[in-house]
Amino acid sequence: MIIRLLLVFIVSFLLSAAITFQLLKKSKDSTKAVPCVGGIAFWFTFVAASFFMFMVTLDALSSLDLDGFIIILITSTLMFFVGAIDDKKDLSASTQFLAQSLIAFFVIVFGLRTHIAGIGVIGNCAVTFLWIVGITNAFNHLDIVDGLAAGIAFICCVTFSIVSALTGNGSLAMIFALLAGSVLGFLKYNFPIAKVYMGNA
């Protein structure tokens, strides 16, 4: 398990760092402003490294894990496009909230939600909805200081990966390791003084 986690982490880190560097280089050729292309690097790394993750963890993934991850991959891609459009066209807050709400609704309808005892199905659906929309916007607002949002995201991902591994949820540990590597590859260029920002994507 540890070797697999490290492999996924290293691959996603190297891929994210390389993609961020190339996007940064291309953006600097066309503008003097600090480019907001980190979200593109995150998304591309997440999708590409996911295929590597499947190769090294296929024997450990159940059909439920696989179905759940495909849902995460699709809905997170939709969330990425909402942010990318906002980076380009500056969507209104209400439009962003509506789009984020619909995506959170899709996640719940497809069966991914919390399982907190004592609050029932409706309560867990509500918690899941508030979590997805709330965390998305929380990190958006955190991205005001160089390295802050990415630094917190990295710490969270590493922590959740360790907790998931210790509690026997290997597939979830892999996903968080993948995300941790993606964030760290970007953080290399986002650390003060930032050469690149995440953007809403």
Side-chain angles (χ1 to χ4, degrees):
M1 170 62 72
I2 294 176
I3 293 175
R4 288 178 174 181
L5 285 173
L6 286 173
L7 275 173
V8 168
F9 174 80
I10 291 169
V11 167
S12 61
F13 165 72
L14 294 175
L15 188 58
S16 177
I19 294 170
T20 303
F21 175 76
Q22 290 300 322
L23 289 171
L24 178 59
K25 185 178 177 182
K26 186 175 181 180
S27 299
K28 279 198 167 183
D29 291 340
S30 58
T31 178
K32 292 182 179 179
V34 177
C36 298
V37 295
I40 299 173
F42 283 167
W43 173 76
F44 193 89
T45 300
F46 185 66
V47 173
S50 292
F51 291 101
F52 175 79
M53 185 187 75
F54 283 134
M55 286 190 291
V56 299
T57 63
L58 192 57
D59 60 324
L61 288 173
S62 68
S63 60
L64 182 63
D65 292 330
L66 190 58
D67 290 344
F69 186 72
I70 289 172
I71 293 167
I72 291 172
L73 203 60
I74 293 170
T75 52
S76 60
T77 296
L78 291 174
M79 194 71 85
F80 160 75
F81 280 115
V82 171
I85 292 170
D86 182 55
D87 285 333
K88 287 289 185 183
K89 301 194 180 251
D90 198 19
L91 298 174
S92 67
S94 58
T95 301
Q96 289 183 66
F97 178 75
L98 177 61
Q100 293 165 359
S101 298
L102 286 172
I103 293 168
F105 176 74
F106 289 148
V107 173
I108 294 166
V109 167
F110 287 131
L112 292 183
R113 55 180 178 264
T114 59
H115 297 279
I116 302 170
I119 64 173
V121 174
I122 294 176
N124 277 291
C125 288
V127 169
T128 303
F129 177 86
L130 291 172
W131 179 266
I132 293 172
V133 176
I135 292 297
T136 298
N137 287 287
F139 271 94
N140 241 346
H141 292 299
L142 273 177
D143 197 20
I144 57 173
V145 177
D146 295 357
L148 178 62
I152 292 175
F154 175 72
I155 293 169
C156 290
C157 288
V158 170
T159 302
F160 285 137
S161 183
I162 292 171
V163 170
S164 298
L166 291 176
T167 54
N169 196 332
S171 55
L172 193 59
M174 289 287 175
I175 293 172
F176 280 119
L178 189 160
L179 285 171
S182 301
V183 173
L184 189 61
F186 162 80
L187 187 57
K188 180 179 185 299
Y189 301 98
N190 182 240
F191 204 76
I193 299 172
K195 300 181 181 68
V196 61
Y197 295 135
M198 289 184 184
N200 288 332

